[in-house]
Amino acid sequence: EAGVAQSPRYKIIEKRQSVAFWCNPISGHATLYWYQQILGQGPKLLIQFQNNGVVDDSQLPKDRFSAERLKGVDSTLKIQPAKLEDSAVYLCASSPPLRSYNEQFFGPGTRLTVL
Amino acid sequence: AQTVTQSQPEMSVQEAETVTLSCTYDTSESDYYLFWYKQPPSRQMILVIRQEAYKQQNATENRFSVNFQKAAKSFSLKISDSQLGDAAMYFCAYRSTGLVTFGTGTRLQVTL
């Protein structure tokens, strides 16, 4: 079974630029999550999708961050414009149907550096 | 809001020995899930073990076991017969009907 795929793996941009991350969850997984993990901290949930609908985005800085999950499969997370404090690893995770509360499978993450 | 506290930023254990990682949480919910995740240097997060709050029996997965004390809101992870491959960051996480909340992690070193 293929795991959660993310791209790019690394990205370096200057502040005020825009950036987008892509996630392809495990086939058949209805729930998709985006996390931000700042160095030395635990992951912080940014947004959770159930199919193509948003379940929770209460911790997403909506003035600069946006996310979508078209057709309930792939997802993109965008930052526009980026700030220095956005430097972090962005993790995508997915959960199988009926088990979204007790199992998440994580991708390798995208390491973003904002200069 | 739920909080998860891991009070040990770093721990060290000798190979083949046993180590316990601590985790406490704060919640007003009665039904929830608790998890321990392992994040090796490659950064792919892997589920180690999970515990449903309604189950009194502590979860066990091979060399990994938990000590779940619901009244004390404590959820520690015990790793027996530690191996070099156990070296990683370990995160405790809480999940209820709302957000998933992670602790700040404990870095585990395994020495020969």
Side-chain angles (χ1 to χ4, degrees), chain A residues 11-13 19 21 79 86-90 110-114:
Chain A
K11 188 74 177 178
I12 300 174
I13 62 173
V19 65
F21 312 127
I79 307 175
D86 298 332
S87 293
V89 175
Y90 290 85
T110 296
R111 182 184 296 276
L112 173 67
T113 301
V114 182

Side-chain angles (χ1 to χ4, degrees), chain A residues 26 32 54 73 81 92 111-112:
Chain A
I26 294 172
L32 186 147
V54 175
V73 183
C92 179
R111 182 184 296 276
L112 173 67

Side-chain angles (χ1 to χ4, degrees), chain A residues 48 55-56 101, chain B residues 2 29 31-33 94-100:
Chain A
Q48 177 184 338
V55 173
D56 194 306
Y101 279 93
Chain B
Q2 291 82 11
E29 305 281 347
D31 189 20
Y32 49 88
Y33 292 86
Y94 165 99
R95 177 76 185 265
S96 181
T97 54
L99 295 174
V100 179

Side-chain angles (χ1 to χ4, degrees), chain A residues 33 37 42 100-102 106, chain B residues 35 39 44 50 91 95-96 103:
Chain A
Y33 315 78
Q37 186 177 18
S100 62
Y101 279 93
N102 65 4
F106 284 82
Chain B
F35 309 87
Q39 191 175 41
Q44 191 118 17
R50 62 175 171 265
F91 291 97
R95 177 76 185 265
S96 181

